[in-house]
Amino acid sequence: MELRILLLFSTLLIYQTHTFEFVIDGDWDSELESHDDDPKSMELPPIFRRRRAILVSEEEEDFEAIKGHDITVKSYKVESRITSRFAHTTVRSSVINSGSTAQSIGFNVQIPKRAFITNFTMNVNGITFIGSVKEKTVARNLYAQARARGKAAGIVRANSQDMETFKTEVHVPPGSRVEFELHYQEVMQRRLGVYQHTLHLQPGRLVPHLQVDVHIFEPKGISAVETPNTLGELFQGITTVTQSKDKAHVSFRPSLQQQRKCHNCTDSAVDGVFTVRYDVQRENDAGELQVSDGHFVHFFAPTNLSPLSKNIVFVIDVSGSMWGLKMKQTVEAMQAILSDLTLDDYFSIIDFNHNVRCWSEDLVPGSSINIEDAKKYIQNIKPNGGTNINEALQRAVQMLVKASNQGLIDQRSVSMIILVSDGDPTVGEIKLSNIQKNVKRIMREEFSLFSLGIGFDVDYDFLERIAMDNRGVAQRIYANHDAADQLRTFYSQVSSPLLRRITIQFPEGSVSDVTQSHFDKFFSGSELVVAGKLQSTGFPTLHSFTTASAATMDLTLQAETDIDELDPILNQQPHSVTGFARQMWAYITINQLLAERALAPNAQKKRTITQRILNLAVEHQFVTPLTALLIESESEKLLADSPKDPKHGCCSGSLGLRPPVQRLVHTIPPWAHATAPPTPSPATGHITIVDNDPHFIIHLPKRDMNVCFNIDSEPGKILNLVSDPGTGVVINGQLVGSKAPQNHKLKTYFGTIGVFYRPEGVRVNVRTDRIDVVEGKNNHSFSWGGTADIITKGVKISIEKDSKVTVVVDGRISVMVLLHRVWKKHPINVDFLGFYSPNDNQYSEQVHGLIGQFASEPDIKVFNVHDGPDPKKKEATMDIKGNKLSVTRGWQKDYREDKKRGSDVHCWFVHNSGKGFIDGHFTNYIVPSLDSFLPEL
């Protein structure tokens, strides 16, 4: 990508005898002016593409941030403020012309390709130039006026892998002081589980005041911060990191001596990229919803999900231009990529030059035999001939279509084509727009195309358009010594898809101007971001509802936030980014509109999108491909112009993909809501309860009677509650002990409740710290910190945030698990679970267990009611199963409505761990694992 800085300069009289002027060389690129509204202009003549590639790939081995032969750099300071993944970076430098003659002083900054410049100011001997973003037509007019007056103007082009170069020069008399200041903003992208912030440091000389400060504020907390020493061994230990729960400060301030290459050297060793990596705390899989300054941002990055299986066709260019290092590194990368495939993945390889060959005509599983054979095939490729991209891509699509039609592709799997090429088509169909149409025509909606362009000869614009048009992304691979690592890194980002068909929605009327909210795929270690404007509803909270398809289940996740919570917190942070949510929304919207503009089907549509981009860019002061930065004092003007093409692109995809918004309702069975009033009540309704340490309350509906008993066992033991071989359902609870004995007795509680549905192999293990859903080898974990609905193979799991989990099996059997939290530092108590189950569950006649045995209500009689030692508690005799038991009238608690105090439930209490009331002894109900059925008693 190239960053064009158009500088219009004139001469300004200083002290009546000295002048300074802005100097830069280059030519104005007229492609925007000529073809702005013509979709055909996206396809440039091959000779122009090669010319542009040469300009972009020019080497700058002598790059220096500050240029000049006899100058003194007083300071060079870089400050980045990152608030909720939105970064605002400021680069400042103060320079003096120490020479005896007038000279040019250059200020060069390499910024990330995805960043937007927001301002540039310059002070020359007290005269300040201040920037403002204007429409690009202003730049053209000023350029024409400058040329008419014989003034100079020019373009700067960039050449580095992840950065682009901002350059300017000012010609000043001796003794002049120049102060430069550049601002740019970007949204941090999460890749492979971290956000990475990079700052390019090449001062080119020793600087008395050289410092870098990175301030990070993440409201929900920072999980980790690291600063890999990417500048070299000389700077080991100089970087400092100060971190609290939600803030971090990274500082790099080498002294003059520490900057030297050697003890007596005058050259600076500061030459490279300064890197900060971090990640955030995530309370739940529903995502993080933040509201500030009338805008909202929703961050979605679930973890602990099993990856979806993949169907991949690798399409590799083996034309003559790939000969040598390019092919060697492609082969090296493919060896590692193939090793990453699993038995659940299907793949094939197509290599092409003027001909198209298939390693296998059909997709094959990723077995060790197939992988080794594919590696040998790749190793023996000899590049030669032309480039037939059109036929190769069509063959790849046809291969996926065939596999899908034959039923080889799992409906929940991810199908993708990965194209690796280094050049333009030269054989077969060579018109780029026709190739794009041909692929689009036969590509199914469930397939994606990822394009990797090696080197600078390839038409990267085309690769980007064809990828975006088919639900993928493109990436340039730089043909140098680490090209194999670049290929492997890209593959790592797409090798572990976790979700498909993700839709993030909001209650109707609560938000507007929402960015892309429907996504085809979510990959492990990445993050989806949705932003928009908040509408006035009168409600204090904003909710989001996310639906998605995982490996074996469908998810509905709910997040919420207090709309007035964040702004007061931000106001107290000295280094927060003011208006971060508003700027982030504009940044994402502009990038998505740029991507949409590149795919516009006609000139009218393109003009409409262009105007929206212009309006947003000017309002939010972003230098985009369609705007320019006008920098002026009273008599001088300077223009900074950004690239034509949307290569910053953080967020590809059409805004039109968003489905109609509808309110999603989280459903809990009616019985799971408390029916008992807060005052004592003799009955709970048709509910059986096991709660506290653990107290069993068995409701016998025919007699409208509750019978209670306790189980006194040991921590770690697993008690069977329901064992029903007929329906294939088993419910077990594992005990956990208190931290210390109380009154010489160690209390036990349920720390885990397990529900196993054997016909479908689904296990739901509810713990006090998480909820695990296991299906075969797929293990998914969910946090108590969010509300969610999960549906998998006849089992529905509904999680209510920090409250309860309801499990419904086959629509016939439902249970509810209640979470009890205690103070973490309590010397005795621990978190525990309560178990609630309705009496109308449809068990089979084979059901048993501590609770299951009462699905068929036994004959029971209570008589001889009389006063006991405690006048508040009557005593009686219970006749059941031929046993006469002494029972006491008392009460236990139903915590469905009030988890702190509970509601009293009166019952007849059976002593000695239910002996005589339950079949056998309670030890007969101890099982070895959470999915164990009860042996026949």
Side-chain angles (χ1 to χ4, degrees), residues 93-108:
S93 186
S94 179
V95 187
I96 295 176
N97 179 5
S98 306
S100 58
T101 60
Q103 65 167 315
S104 292
I105 298 177
F107 177 68
N108 308 321

Side-chain angles (χ1 to χ4, degrees), residues 1-4 63 109-117 157-166 623 642-643 647-648:
M1 178 175 23
E2 55 200 78
L3 175 66
R4 307 180 179 94
F63 179 90
V109 181
Q110 291 196 327
I111 69 174
K113 291 183 182 295
R114 61 181 178 271
F116 285 147
I117 291 173
R157 302 180 185 271
N159 69 319
S160 66
Q161 295 188 10
D162 298 313
M163 315 289 277
E164 60 189 7
T165 306
F166 174 96
V623 179
S642 188
K647 301 200 180 88
H648 299 76

Side-chain angles (χ1 to χ4, degrees), residues 146 429 449 602 619 682 710 768 792 856:
E429 178 61 70
L449 171 62
N602 55 61
E619 178 184 354
N710 296 343
T768 56
T792 177
S856 178

Side-chain angles (χ1 to χ4, degrees), residues 396-417:
V397 176
Q398 290 162 2
M399 192 179 290
L400 289 175
V401 170
K402 179 181 178 182
S404 180
N405 291 341
Q406 292 177 342
L408 294 177
I409 292 180
D410 186 334
Q411 289 186 350
R412 292 183 179 268
S413 65
V414 169
S415 299
M416 62 181 81
I417 298 168

Side-chain angles (χ1 to χ4, degrees), residues 775-792:
E775 186 278 320
K777 63 183 179 181
N778 297 306
N779 190 344
H780 310 269
S781 290
F782 299 89
S783 161
W784 280 101
T787 297
D789 282 337
I790 303 110
I791 300 175
T792 177

